[in-house]
Amino acid sequence: QVQLVESGGGLVQPGGTLRLSCAASGSIFGIYSMGWYRQAPGKQRELVARVSSGGSTNYVDSVKGRFTISRDNAKNTVSLQMGNLKPEDTAVYYCNVHLYSLDYWGKGTLVTVSS
């Protein structure tokens, strides 16, 4: 089993910045990707950003140039630096690990972008 714990959500004004972090623990070893998804009210969960074990990244178009994902393999952590936040970024953000064809999820952290 893999456990994921997110931190860093909160309320931020439009144009502001926020950093999300996720720590993975448990039976996590081998080659796996880590990422962040989000789910806004009334919408489906969507991939925000993902980073492979080798460091390759991909982002949803709406956050390119504003968000940066990074991971620390030694600590089994993944972070999402979010900048120039917009109201449409408001959502619950979930940490994800994809390991051996299985997906593991954190409980989510709420990000609210509002003035």
Side-chain angles (χ1 to χ4, degrees):
Q1 283 290 341
V2 175
Q3 295 79 43
L4 303 174
V5 178
E6 304 108 334
S7 61
L11 173 64
V12 62
Q13 293 186 342
T17 62
L18 209 58
R19 184 178 180 86
L20 305 182
S21 296
C22 173
S25 61
S27 302
I28 184 162
F29 53 88
I31 299 174
Y32 59 95
S33 67
M34 304 183 81
W36 290 93
Y37 286 70
R38 67 186 178 187
Q39 187 166 18
K43 295 187 177 181
Q44 289 189 331
R45 190 175 298 189
E46 66 169 353
L47 172 67
V48 177
R50 176 173 297 282
V51 55
S52 70
S53 56
S56 298
T57 59
N58 61 286
Y59 300 87
V60 66
D61 286 346
S62 61
V63 308
K64 287 180 179 178
R66 301 189 296 122
F67 291 10
T68 302
I69 190 170
S70 59
R71 67 186 282 174
D72 185 328
N73 290 332
K75 297 181 179 179
N76 291 333
T77 59
V78 62
S79 298
L80 185 68
Q81 181 68 41
M82 305 185 292
N84 190 21
L85 282 159
K86 303 176 180 181
E88 51 264 42
D89 294 317
T90 295
V92 178
Y93 284 70
Y94 297 90
C95 179
N96 169 270
V97 164
H98 186 76
L99 174 65
Y100 298 126
S101 300
L102 295 177
D103 281 300
Y104 298 91
W105 299 93
K107 293 183 178 180
T109 184
L110 177 62
V111 172
T112 303
V113 184
S114 175
S115 55

